[in-house]
Amino acid sequence: MSIKFKTLARKNPQDILAPEKYYASAVGDGEVDLDALAEMISYQCTVTESDCYAVLISLERNIINELGQGRIVKMGRLGNFQVGISSQGKETPEEVTASDITKARILFRPGKRLRRLLNDLSFRKAG
């Protein structure tokens, strides 16, 4: 498996006068949507494409609902989803309130097989 990358110039946020440095940045090479996933899965088992699609849509709905309840969604070997937050720093725990939360994001912690994929990747420059 091989991932394309491009180079991007970036300034140092701690020293805006420092010269830019160039960094590798992964380039998306196409995409796959739920329809395509449902079709792929249907060819790999006895479940129809429409049944696979229905299950994937239901899975998405339930993941959203459970994350909205503050739960960690454990997807077995695939990995875990969880809501993460960032907040402003305060001097004491008592000063921290919900209004200090500046950002929420979805965290995904991949399972062992997905993590192993990262060790097996090769990279090639795009273009």
Side-chain angles (χ1 to χ4, degrees):
M1 288 181 252
S2 182
I3 304 293
K4 290 181 184 177
F5 71 93
K6 63 183 177 182
T7 56
L8 296 176
R10 294 194 181 137
K11 287 201 170 283
N12 181 342
Q14 278 101 12
D15 184 1
I16 57 172
L17 299 178
E20 290 182 329
K21 289 190 178 181
Y22 293 86
Y23 298 88
S25 177
V27 174
D29 190 18
E31 55 187 39
V32 63
D33 62 12
L34 283 180
D35 291 336
L37 285 172
E39 182 179 359
M40 285 184 247
I41 293 168
S42 73
Y43 287 126
Q44 297 167 358
C45 63
T46 59
V47 180
T48 67
E49 181 180 340
S50 58
D51 287 341
C52 290
Y53 185 77
V55 168
L56 291 171
I57 292 297
S58 181
L59 176 65
E60 176 193 33
R61 244 184 248 126
N62 283 285
I63 288 172
I64 290 167
N65 182 55
E66 295 302 314
L67 289 173
Q69 301 295 318
R71 294 186 182 98
I72 297 170
V73 179
K74 294 187 171 195
M75 300 291 297
R77 296 187 324 187
L78 184 61
N80 303 330
F81 291 94
Q82 182 176 1
V83 172
I85 59 174
S86 299
S87 71
Q88 297 174 359
K90 299 292 182 174
E91 296 296 319
T92 66
E94 296 76 26
E95 292 178 82
V96 178
T97 66
S99 64
D100 295 314
I101 295 171
T102 57
K103 183 168 96 174
R105 62 196 175 283
I106 304 294
L107 302 175
F108 176 70
R109 292 182 185 88
K112 287 180 187 176
R113 291 176 69 183
L114 280 176
R115 282 194 315 266
R116 222 177 9 245
L117 162 75
L118 297 176
N119 296 328
D120 298 335
L121 290 176
S122 63
F123 301 93
R124 68 188 191 288
K125 202 165 190 175

